[in-house]
Amino acid sequence: MISIEIDNGSGFCFGVTTAIHKAEEELAAGKTLYCLGDIVHNGMEVERLTGQGLVTIDHEQLKQLHDVKVLLRAHGEPPETYEIAKRNNIEIIDATCPVVLQLQKRIRKQYDANTAENDKAQIVIFGKNGHAEVLGLVGQTHSNAIVIEKFDDVKQLDFNRDIYLYSQTTKNLDEFHRIIDYIQHHISADATFKSFDTICRQVANRIPNIASFAQRHDLILFVSGRKSSNGKVLYNECLSVNPNSYQIESAKEIKAEWFKGVNTVGICGATSTPKWLMEECRDYIGKNIQQ
């Protein structure tokens, strides 16, 4: 008999939970609701809410809408989005995560201060180019911020100019500290360097927790949408401590041959993975995998 455990620490983070609750409230009232981008980087959850009437749109479609309600997901948006909404009489239901919102304000304040001083300082964001959250952060600087995706990118900075370093909320904490150390050792004595630890601890703390969980089981099923940045980080952590780890988006991807000689299975996921999806995977194993 295979023993199956679902990781209690996996599942939606606070920001995603809030966004989905806000969407469900509007939809339950029978109102038409648009969402700017996928409400969460999980195709199965998007499909579930689409079935309830949620309409997902992109930024070009937003420009064509008037007199409607649009939900902004937890990732946040640049100022331009709010300006379009105001022009088109669109009611914004703002589900931006409070952690992201605070980060946006800090970057905007620093950028305004730099501009007022006619400063040549570099505002640097450790994050994924093109990611929804990062686009919202860069937007606070009129696209003047420098985005570095990985440690090696830090070498491209101008160490003779001031550097103000921030991070996307879901990036790896250890890599962020490596970047800080490198800048501290290379910044000119005449330049200022300040770093701001803006990584969400609800996400960062999942890394050691999920590593411990992955070590306890013969097989790990990591359930996550493949577009999820957070999912990639957490899955790689599972893989590093347990090579018998597989990333799947739904129970349909589970293969019977994975379970040969397996006694314990751990099911976990990203901050964008709904609990019901992990439970479906558990139930699928119970019904379809030979014991």
Side-chain angles (χ1 to χ4, degrees):
M1 190 75 174
I2 297 177
S3 171
I4 305 170
E5 180 187 5
I6 295 177
D7 175 31
N8 286 330
S10 291
F12 291 152
C13 63
F14 170 79
V16 172
T17 299
T18 300
I20 288 173
H21 282 169
K22 286 187 175 185
E24 288 175 331
E25 284 176 4
E26 289 293 323
L27 295 169
K31 299 173 183 176
T32 300
L33 180 65
Y34 297 88
C35 182
L36 188 54
D38 288 343
I39 192 168
V40 62
H41 286 153
N42 186 280
M44 302 292 287
E45 182 67 4
V46 171
E47 190 177 304
R48 183 184 75 84
L49 291 168
T50 299
Q52 294 182 23
L54 186 66
V55 181
T56 303
I57 58 170
D58 59 27
H59 287 82
E60 286 304 311
Q61 291 170 312
L62 177 72
K63 295 174 184 176
Q64 309 305 317
L65 292 176
H66 294 79
D67 311 312
V68 295
K69 286 187 177 182
V70 174
L71 182 138
L72 303 186
R73 55 197 177 162
H75 299 98
E77 285 290 323
E80 180 189 4
T81 298
Y82 294 87
E83 292 163 9
I84 292 169
K86 188 174 181 180
R87 284 200 305 269
N88 293 3
N89 195 35
I90 293 170
E91 181 182 341
I92 289 291
I93 299 174
D94 201 336
T96 302
C97 171
V99 178
V100 175
L101 195 60
Q102 184 64 26
L103 174 54
Q104 287 184 347
K105 290 177 179 176
R106 291 175 74 172
I107 290 175
R108 182 58 180 263
K109 184 178 179 180
Q110 186 63 59
Y111 177 75
D112 288 345
N114 291 355
T115 303
E117 296 172 12
N118 195 24
D119 201 340
K120 298 290 186 180
Q122 301 161 97
I123 292 180
V124 180
I125 298 168
F126 173 44
K128 181 182 177 184
N129 264 307
H131 187 280
E133 180 188 328
V134 174
L135 290 174
L137 300 178
V138 172
Q140 308 304 316
T141 70
H142 298 288
S143 300
N144 286 305
I146 300 167
V147 178
I148 57 174
E149 292 198 343
K150 56 188 183 301
F151 172 75
D152 285 344
D153 294 343
V154 73
K155 298 169 186 177
Q156 301 168 12
L157 299 178
D158 184 347
F159 295 102
N160 292 311
R161 293 164 55 201
D162 294 353
I163 297 174
Y164 296 90
L165 176 68
Y166 300 85
S167 175
Q168 180 181 340
T169 59
T170 54
K171 291 297 282 184
N172 182 281
L173 192 57
D174 290 339
E175 192 170 10
F176 184 61
H177 285 151
R178 280 186 70 204
I179 290 169
I180 291 171
D181 288 343
Y182 187 91
I183 296 173
Q184 286 175 333
H185 283 92
H186 290 81
I187 192 82
S188 166
D190 298 325
T192 298
F193 170 53
K194 291 184 180 179
S195 63
F196 305 90
D197 184 349
T198 53
I199 293 173
C200 176
R201 286 305 185 272
Q202 192 180 13
V203 174
N205 289 342
R206 291 193 183 193
I207 293 176
N209 292 342
I210 211 164
S212 174
F213 178 80
Q215 286 176 321
R216 295 204 305 269
H217 297 284
D218 299 330
L219 171 71
I220 289 295
L221 293 180
F222 186 84
V223 189
S224 171
R226 291 187 172 87
K227 290 194 290 184
S228 169
S229 295
N230 166 252
K232 290 175 185 174
V233 171
L234 292 175
Y235 171 63
N236 285 332
E237 189 65 28
C238 288
L239 202 58
S240 71
V241 299
N242 187 337
N244 204 24
S245 298
Y246 299 90
Q247 182 176 7
I248 58 173
E249 290 197 335
S250 70
K252 295 176 183 177
E253 296 181 19
I254 295 173
K255 296 181 181 179
E257 58 262 31
W258 295 344
F259 297 83
K260 290 178 182 177
V262 167
N263 294 312
T264 65
V265 175
I267 300 175
C268 51
T271 55
S272 53
T273 303
K275 275 278 169 60
W276 65 261
L277 191 54
M278 290 183 281
E279 290 167 354
E280 272 192 3
C281 292
R282 176 199 61 199
D283 297 343
Y284 179 90
I285 295 168
K287 291 176 183 176
N288 297 282
I289 304 300
Q290 293 295 324
Q291 306 297 329

